[in-house]
Amino acid sequence: MRSHHCNELRDSHIGQTVTLIGWVNSARDHGGVIFIDLRDREGLTQCVFHPEENPEVSALSHTLRDEDVVQVVGRVSRRLAGSENAKIQTGAVEIVATGLTIVNKADVLPFQLDKELSNEDLRMKYRYLDLRRARMSKNIRQRSVITSAARRYLDETGFYEIETPILSNPTPEGARDFLVPSRLNPGRFYALPQAPQQYKQLLMVAGVEKYFQIARCFRDEDLRADRQPEFTQIDIEASFVTQEDIIKLVEGLLVNMFKAGLGIEVAASFPRMTYQDAMDIYGSDKPDTRYAMKITDLGEVFSATEFKIFRSILDGGGVVRAINAKGFATITTGQMNRLNEIAVQAGLPVKNLAFVKYENGEYKSPLWKIFTDVEKAAVITTLDLAEGDIVFFAAGSRESVSTILGRVRTEAAVMMELTKDSTAFNFLWIVDFPLLAHDEETGHWAAVHHPFTRPHPDDMEKLEAGDYA
RNA sequence: GGAGCGGUAGCUCAGUUGGUUAGAGCGCCAGCCUGUCACGUUGGAGGUCGCGGGUUCGAGUCCCGUCCGCUCCGCCA
């Protein structure tokens, strides 16, 4: 029903008669001449209807409304000098319409397609319209391209793509299962997989050696803005490989996916950081390194302090640490309240974060007067405290200080608009995760990442000795 | 399970200390317009202010309840 897509026509097609089919992206009726931008999944082409070209077609074109589905026949023509449109790929040409078929008239739209829309209910209700929007259409295409690149890469590196069951046995650990009642066994249930974990390990035992799956996973837990009950992950398992092999594999995978999806050449090898460094320096096991604002230890600065709170924490084996939010002395009262709230949620035992602000040549701080001159000088040099900066302190156990300052760091960065650059990716490997961590509140040991992990070579001995303590 | 924010026209939102007929932009409908590209222009239609109750001479606005949505913590990797 078409000879070309709406992104195809160029100077070189001038003079040809073509047929396009798609949606009316916008109709501009000038009384005499009428323009429409015709849209299909590939792009836009401007079509012109002249009364003198074909009066009937021109008359019909007056009735066109946005999102009508139409088929246009016409001549590819050079646009009038000065009326080219650089914003679209086909902006050098236009179709002088000689024929018009209205395939389907559109209803009045419940929302406008050329604007960002925050109302997700409405977007879901009219998902078929939401997906017509340029941004969504681009995402759909991009996802397909990225998935395809991942498949190709993993295929070329010797991986089998294998589908594992969706209806499976409930597992007691981990996320809450979605359950599906069994018709043949009343009162019993299937679970939907949280991950293909057990199946892929069975595949390794079975001798498959290299497996992958673009796997749909289900977790019946509460949502977040970036967390849905069902999602897709690229699931990989391999036998007879080292950590180094897996790192190289995944780096190659990401290089290919980013090139295919975004046209970006990312470095072939990513920096690495230990879990402990990540927690100490960034207060997170997934640090955003696009900005610094590193957590700095002040143990030496306050080694001889007589400030009671710091003294007792340091003597008790705790830490005193701080971050410098450079240039954020402009923080508003509302922002400060928000940071305090976050710090309290993260475990700050008092209501307000201790801070030092250096503004207009003056240090402003609730605890500045408590510090000795030597301590002040050390704080200033250690944290590089300069005009316009604000420093936030936290004291306590190493873990709790990391959590508190990590959250404050992340939130302050958002407030300071340091996270807006969506073209910087800063890939980073976090290595040497501990298998378990002790929860101070419950007294339980819990998996830090997940329990399906081979022990570190240094710890193999302990496992063989049966030393599980 | 907990906390915060929100619900006013088809959409996005404004609405002051409680006060006359609840507004704007976009969209929609009609007219005009032969070179626009978010066309322009003139006019018009469109409202159970989420729902229920209360206070008041008077409630979009204050109080109580309730429903729905979003964000975060817990939870989840």
Side-chain angles (χ1 to χ4, degrees):
Chain A
M1 294 180 80
R2 61 157 64 91
S3 63
H4 295 79
H5 269 112
C6 289
N7 64 330
E8 280 187 74
L9 301 173
R10 299 287 186 275
D11 284 354
S12 57
H13 296 88
I14 287 170
Q16 292 184 22
T17 295
V18 298
T19 306
L20 302 178
I21 189 164
W23 289 261
V24 174
N25 201 58
S26 86
R28 300 180 292 277
D29 186 336
H30 288 253
V33 69
I34 290 163
F35 300 95
I36 67 165
D37 289 340
L38 191 66
R39 181 191 77 235
D40 60 24
R41 70 173 207 188
E42 303 294 338
L44 294 173
T45 299
Q46 173 165 283
C47 304
V48 201
F49 298 83
H50 288 292
E52 52 269 30
E53 183 70 34
N54 183 330
E56 276 177 41
V57 165
S58 172
L60 185 58
S61 75
H62 280 285
T63 69
L64 291 176
R65 297 291 179 270
D66 285 2
E67 298 305 311
D68 286 348
V69 180
V70 297
Q71 186 185 42
V72 177
V73 178
R75 285 193 316 278
V76 182
S77 308
R78 189 185 303 283
R79 289 197 184 194
L80 296 187
S83 72
E84 298 84 0
N85 184 356
K87 285 190 246 174
I88 62 176
Q89 288 175 297
T90 56
V93 299
E94 62 192 7
I95 307 299
V96 176
T98 54
L100 171 65
T101 306
I102 297 179
V103 177
N104 219 338
K105 291 293 290 178
D107 273 335
V108 173
L109 298 172
F111 54 83
Q112 283 150 266
L113 302 187
D114 58 348
K115 295 188 173 158
E116 281 295 308
L117 184 64
S118 55
N119 187 335
E120 287 193 343
D121 271 357
L122 203 63
R123 291 178 58 192
M124 291 302 149
K125 183 171 178 184
Y126 300 98
R127 188 60 162 168
Y128 52 91
L129 295 177
D130 191 42
L131 295 181
R132 288 183 196 177
R133 294 163 49 229
R135 174 178 169 170
M136 296 305 291
S137 165
K138 183 182 155 214
N139 286 352
I140 292 263
R141 174 188 156 81
Q142 198 167 59
R143 181 169 175 140
S144 173
V145 166
I146 290 169
T147 307
S148 166
R151 278 212 167 83
R152 205 175 322 119
Y153 174 81
L154 290 167
D155 178 55
E156 282 165 6
T157 42
F159 283 78
Y160 291 167
E161 180 171 11
I162 301 174
E163 290 179 86
T164 54
I166 290 295
L167 296 176
S168 55
N169 250 341
T171 50
E173 297 279 341
R176 192 176 298 121
D177 288 321
F178 276 104
L179 296 175
V180 180
S182 161
R183 180 178 60 84
L184 294 176
N185 298 285
R188 303 194 63 197
F189 297 85
Y190 296 100
L192 302 183
Q194 305 162 22
Q197 190 64 45
Q198 297 175 55
Y199 294 112
K200 70 179 178 185
Q201 292 185 201
L202 289 172
L203 289 171
M204 294 306 102
V205 177
V208 166
E209 296 200 11
K210 289 178 165 185
Y211 139 94
F212 84 97
Q213 180 176 198
I214 299 184
R216 187 61 59 94
C217 303
F218 306 88
R219 288 175 191 160
D220 188 12
E221 297 292 347
D222 289 354
L223 275 57
R224 288 285 185 281
D226 59 352
R227 213 166 74 192
Q228 302 176 41
E230 69 176 278
F231 60 93
T232 305
Q233 66 183 24
I234 298 180
D235 196 61
I236 295 173
E237 192 80 17
S239 302
F240 314 130
V241 290
T242 62
Q243 170 170 301
E244 202 57 33
D245 293 330
I246 293 294
I247 284 177
K248 288 280 173 260
L249 175 78
V250 173
E251 285 173 345
L253 179 61
L254 286 170
V255 165
N256 274 273
M257 289 166 73
F258 272 74
K259 190 172 180 185
L262 295 169
I264 291 177
E265 296 278 356
V266 304
S269 163
F270 312 154
R272 302 181 195 183
M273 182 182 291
T274 65
Y275 172 85
Q276 198 51 250
D277 280 351
M279 294 307 293
D280 283 337
I281 299 169
Y282 296 105
S284 167
D285 63 2
K286 46 180 188 302
D288 186 342
T289 57
R290 290 176 298 172
Y291 52 93
M293 219 194 300
K294 293 181 182 176
I295 297 173
T296 304
D297 190 86
L298 300 176
E300 273 184 42
V301 171
F302 293 109
S303 59
T305 191
E306 291 180 22
F307 176 38
K308 275 187 203 161
I309 297 172
F310 285 5
R311 186 71 272 153
S312 69
I313 284 170
L314 288 171
D315 289 348
V319 298
V320 176
R321 291 179 179 174
I323 53 174
N324 183 355
K326 295 205 79 65
F328 197 41
T330 53
I331 187 169
T332 65
T333 309
Q335 288 171 327
M336 194 66 223
N337 290 342
R338 175 87 189 119
L339 287 185
N340 284 328
E341 222 171 89
I342 280 166
V344 168
Q345 274 179 353
L348 187 74
V350 292
K351 282 185 186 168
N352 296 305
L353 278 166
F355 68 91
V356 178
K357 191 155 70 161
Y358 187 38
E359 207 176 14
N360 304 321
E362 221 178 307
Y363 295 97
K364 294 172 191 165
S365 167
L367 40 66
W368 203 237
K369 57 178 175 285
I370 300 170
F371 296 164
T372 65
D373 287 347
V374 174
E375 285 163 0
K376 287 179 193 171
V379 164
I380 291 165
T381 43
T382 308
L383 285 158
D384 184 29
L385 178 52
E387 173 67 31
D389 295 352
I390 180 166
V391 164
F392 300 104
F393 297 88
S397 74
R398 187 173 172 181
E399 291 76 21
S400 73
V401 167
S402 281
T403 306
I404 292 164
L405 290 180
R407 293 255 175 89
V408 169
R409 174 180 180 271
T410 307
E411 186 64 28
V414 171
M415 290 172 176
M416 295 163 74
E417 303 190 343
L418 300 175
T419 58
K420 278 191 159 178
D421 183 1
S422 58
T423 61
F425 291 100
N426 285 43
F427 290 112
L428 175 68
W429 285 106
I430 304 297
V431 297
D432 296 346
F433 267 74
L435 181 63
L436 303 167
H438 193 252
D439 188 315
E440 291 173 29
E441 271 180 39
T442 64
H444 292 152
W445 289 89
V448 170
H449 199 62
H450 65 68
F452 311 104
T453 289
R454 178 168 140 166
H456 194 278
D458 295 352
D459 296 332
M460 286 300 258
E461 213 175 311
K462 294 178 183 171
L463 194 67
E464 283 159 13
D467 177 9
Y468 304 123

